[in-house]
Amino acid sequence: MENFLIKGGTPLRGEVAISGAKNAVLPIMAATLLTAEPCVIRRVPQLSDVRFMGEILASLGAKVKLDGSTLTVRAAGVKGLGDYNLIRKMRGSVCILGPLLARSGHAVVSLPGGCVIGARPIDLHLKGLEALGAKVRIDGGYIHARARKLKGADLFLGGRCGPTVLGTANVMMAAALADGVTVIESAACEPEVVDLAHFLNNMGARITGAGSPTLIITGVKSLHGAEHEVIPDRIEAATFAVAAAATRGEVVLRGARADHMHAVLDKLRQAGVTVERSGPDLKISRRGRLKPVDITTLPYAGFPTDVQAQMMVLMTLTPGISIITERIFESRFMHVSELARLGADIAIEGPSAIVKGGKPLSGAPVMASDLRASAALIIAGLAARGKTEISRIYHIDRGYEKIDDKLRRLGARMERVQADTSKEPRSGFRQKAAIGP
Ligand code: EPU
C-alpha cells in the first residue's frame, strides 16, 4: 500500500486541466449495455472506479477497450447476472440494473451495501423499476428484477433527502426502451444526469426535461451506438479551487464548467476568494483574509455534498465560526476526527459541523476514509505547516485522475511513499472503508 507524504506551506500556482467527470462516466458506461452496437466515449478519466466498471461490463459479456482517454464498449450480447465480487467493490455499479433489465428482460445484481458516508438505500431505484412493471425481489444478497416488457409510467422519485442521482439514471435508462411514455417527477437535476440523457439521446432515445425535476422519456424500440464526450468533473474542479484558496495560491482551472459550479463559486466568493472567468477557464486566487461562511449541502443546484469535506478545510483556516450542515449523507463527517489531528477545532452537533477556524494547521499522520475525505486531507496537508502523511490513499485513486501529478505541477511538495502499516493511525472505520462511491 502507498501513502501520500505532503510537505505543506507552498502556495499552488499555475494551470490544471480538468478531467472528465467520474460520476458522469460511470452511468454512461452502464448505458452502453442498452445497445449491441459499439459506443465510443471520450474524455474518460483514468480512475480505478472506471477500471472496475470496465471489468463489470466485460464480465457481462461486453468488449471493453480503453485507449488513453477514449473508451470503446461493444455489448453485442449481455448476461443478466452481475458478478458479486466486482459489483460489491463499487456502489456506483448499481446503475447497471436498469440497462440490464431493459436489454435482456432480467437482471441479477448484488445489493450494494451501506458505505462509510451513510446507509445508502436503493428503495427509490426499485420503486421506479417496479412502476415500469418490473417484478423485483431481494434474495441471497442479490436484487432479482424481471420484466418481459417494461411499460412507461408516471412516477415520483423523491425520497427523504430529495431526488436520487443514480436512481434517476437507472429508471431513465430502463424507460428509454420501455413501451410508451414515462414521466419521472422529482428527478435529479445534476449535470451528470443531463450528460447521461444527452448520451442516451445520441443513441436514439427520446428524453426531454433533463436538468429539470420533470423528465419525460418516450420509449423507443431499440438504441444504436453513439459517440460522446464526457463533461468536465465539477467536483475535481471545485477541489482544486479550494486547494488554491487554502494555500493562498493562484490557479487556472482549464476547461472547468463554471455553469455547473454556481453554488461552490458563490461560497468561495463569500469566503473572500477571487473567482474570475475567462472563456472556458476559471482563475481562483486568494490574497486577503478569509471570511467564515455557513454551508448546507443540498441536491443540485445547491451546494454539493461531494465538496463539503474540502470546504470544511478552508473554514478551519478562516478566523471565526462557520457552520457546515450535511443534508444528503448522514455520516459524511469521517474527515472531522482526522482534521482534528492537524489541529482543527470542529464539533459535530447533529447534522452540522461547527468549525472554529483561524488557528494554523500543523502536519500529522492521518487516514483517508472515503474519496472526498481523502481530497480534504490532501488540501489540509498542503495548507498545514510541516509534514502530513495520508494512509489508505486508494480511496483517492478511485475518483481523482493523477491528483498527485497535477498538484506537483502546481508546485505542491507531495509524493507517494510505501506505507509502513505498523505506523497507521488507529480508527474505528476499518471494516466499512472498502466500499467506494
Ligand atoms: N436515497 C434513498 N433511496 C434511494 C437512493 C438514495 O433514500 O433509493 C437517499 C440517499 O441515502 C441519500 C440521498 O438519497 O441520502 C441522495 O443519494 P443519491 O441516490 O442521489 O446518491 P447516489 O446516486 O448513490 C451519487 C454520487 C455520489 C454523490 C451523490 C449525491 C455516483 C457514482 N455517486 O450517489 O458521489 O455524493 O450522488 O450527489 O454518481 C462521490 O463521488 O464521492 C460520491 C459519493
Side-chain angles (χ1 to χ4, degrees):
M1 275 215 282
E2 291 176 317
N3 290 353
F4 279 139
L5 186 61
I6 300 174
K7 287 185 194 147
T10 309
L12 297 182
R13 288 190 195 286
E15 296 180 0
V16 61
I18 301 306
S19 300
K22 168 183 85 79
N23 289 347
V25 78
L26 294 176
I28 286 173
M29 288 174 75
T32 63
L33 294 170
L34 287 163
T35 177
E37 294 182 13
C39 295
V40 179
I41 309 165
R42 301 190 200 286
R43 204 189 321 185
V44 172
Q46 288 181 23
L47 305 170
S48 53
D49 271 9
V50 167
R51 211 179 54 242
F52 288 147
M53 190 56 126
E55 287 171 13
I56 290 169
L57 299 183
S59 78
L60 294 168
K63 295 260 176 298
V64 182
K65 195 175 128 221
L66 183 61
D67 185 5
S69 61
T70 301
L71 182 78
T72 309
V73 182
R74 180 157 187 248
V78 289
K79 292 189 285 183
L81 173 65
D83 183 301
Y84 172 78
N85 285 318
L86 288 173
I87 292 174
R88 75 178 177 86
K89 283 191 191 169
M90 185 176 70
R91 211 187 168 285
S93 60
V94 70
C95 61
I96 62 173
L97 186 59
L100 276 185
L101 183 63
R103 174 85 183 275
S104 58
H106 70 283
V108 184
V109 175
S110 62
L111 199 60
C115 86
V116 74
I117 63 176
R120 306 192 74 181
I122 56 156
D123 55 309
L124 298 170
H125 300 232
L126 303 185
K127 174 185 170 185
L129 296 176
E130 282 174 334
L132 300 182
K135 295 272 172 284
V136 179
R137 72 188 162 85
I138 309 288
D139 192 10
Y142 283 86
I143 308 155
H144 297 252
R146 191 167 280 283
R148 197 169 305 140
K149 188 69 195 146
L150 294 168
K151 289 201 173 45
D154 288 359
L155 57 112
F156 178 79
L157 266 197
R160 200 171 47 91
C161 302
T164 161
V165 174
L166 290 176
T168 302
N170 243 333
V171 179
M172 176 165 64
M173 289 189 277
L177 286 180
D179 273 344
V181 179
T182 297
V183 180
I184 306 178
E185 293 293 355
S186 194
C189 302
E190 270 68 5
E192 294 75 17
V193 173
V194 179
D195 205 32
L196 173 64
H198 286 158
F199 178 59
L200 291 168
N201 283 343
N202 288 346
M203 296 172 81
R206 292 175 59 198
I207 300 169
T208 58
S212 82
T214 307
L215 266 178
I216 302 169
I217 304 135
T218 305
V220 295
K221 289 228 156 6
S222 64
L223 294 171
H224 51 73
E227 294 202 15
H228 183 78
E229 185 171 282
V230 175
I231 52 170
D233 195 316
R234 64 192 168 103
I235 308 299
E236 187 202 27
T239 302
F240 278 103
V242 176
T247 59
R248 290 180 179 274
E250 185 173 296
V251 172
V252 174
L253 310 173
R254 285 265 178 251
R257 287 277 302 260
D259 56 325
H260 292 167
M261 297 173 65
H262 288 301
V264 171
L265 299 180
D266 185 56
K267 283 294 170 193
L268 284 172
R269 285 192 179 105
Q270 279 180 35
V273 177
T274 307
V275 178
E276 293 159 282
R277 278 176 82 157
S278 114
D281 303 331
L282 271 176
K283 185 160 98 180
I284 310 291
S285 55
R286 176 186 143 206
R287 293 168 201 108
R289 269 169 78 87
L290 290 168
K291 290 174 267 183
V293 288
D294 293 342
I295 293 169
T296 300
T297 66
L298 288 169
Y300 192 80
F303 192 92
T305 172
D306 293 343
V307 188
Q308 177 256 109
Q310 300 89 314
M311 210 52 194
M312 192 180 294
V313 175
L314 193 63
M315 290 304 102
T316 67
L317 303 169
T318 305
I321 294 179
S322 309
I323 299 177
I324 300 184
T325 303
E326 174 56 58
R327 292 271 176 226
I328 307 293
F329 292 116
E330 69 269 26
S331 354
R332 209 172 199 180
F333 281 137
M334 301 301 285
H335 42 282
V336 167
S337 52
E338 299 303 294
L339 291 175
R341 298 173 68 88
L342 301 181
D345 183 349
I346 306 168
I348 305 288
E349 294 280 351
S352 299
I354 295 149
V355 185
K356 287 188 195 152
K359 277 195 291 178
L361 301 177
S362 64
V366 287
M367 189 198 285
S369 56
D370 74 272
L371 174 59
R372 308 305 172 186
S374 320
L377 294 178
I378 291 177
I379 296 171
L382 292 171
R385 282 187 312 220
K387 278 191 214 163
T388 295
E389 186 157 353
I390 308 176
S391 56
R392 308 209 163 190
I393 59 168
Y394 52 84
H395 289 293
I396 199 106
D397 293 325
R398 304 183 75 119
Y400 287 89
E401 186 174 46
K402 298 181 183 154
I403 191 168
D404 42 335
D405 290 351
K406 287 186 175 186
L407 285 168
R408 264 194 305 270
R409 262 180 256 132
L410 296 173
R413 293 179 298 167
M414 76 186 281
E415 56 183 323
R416 282 176 195 252
V417 295
Q418 275 310 310
D420 175 353
T421 42
S422 64
K423 285 193 193 152
E424 255 192 18
R426 297 190 71 75
S427 164
F429 50 78
R430 267 160 212 279
Q431 291 296 319
K432 285 169 133 192
I435 310 291

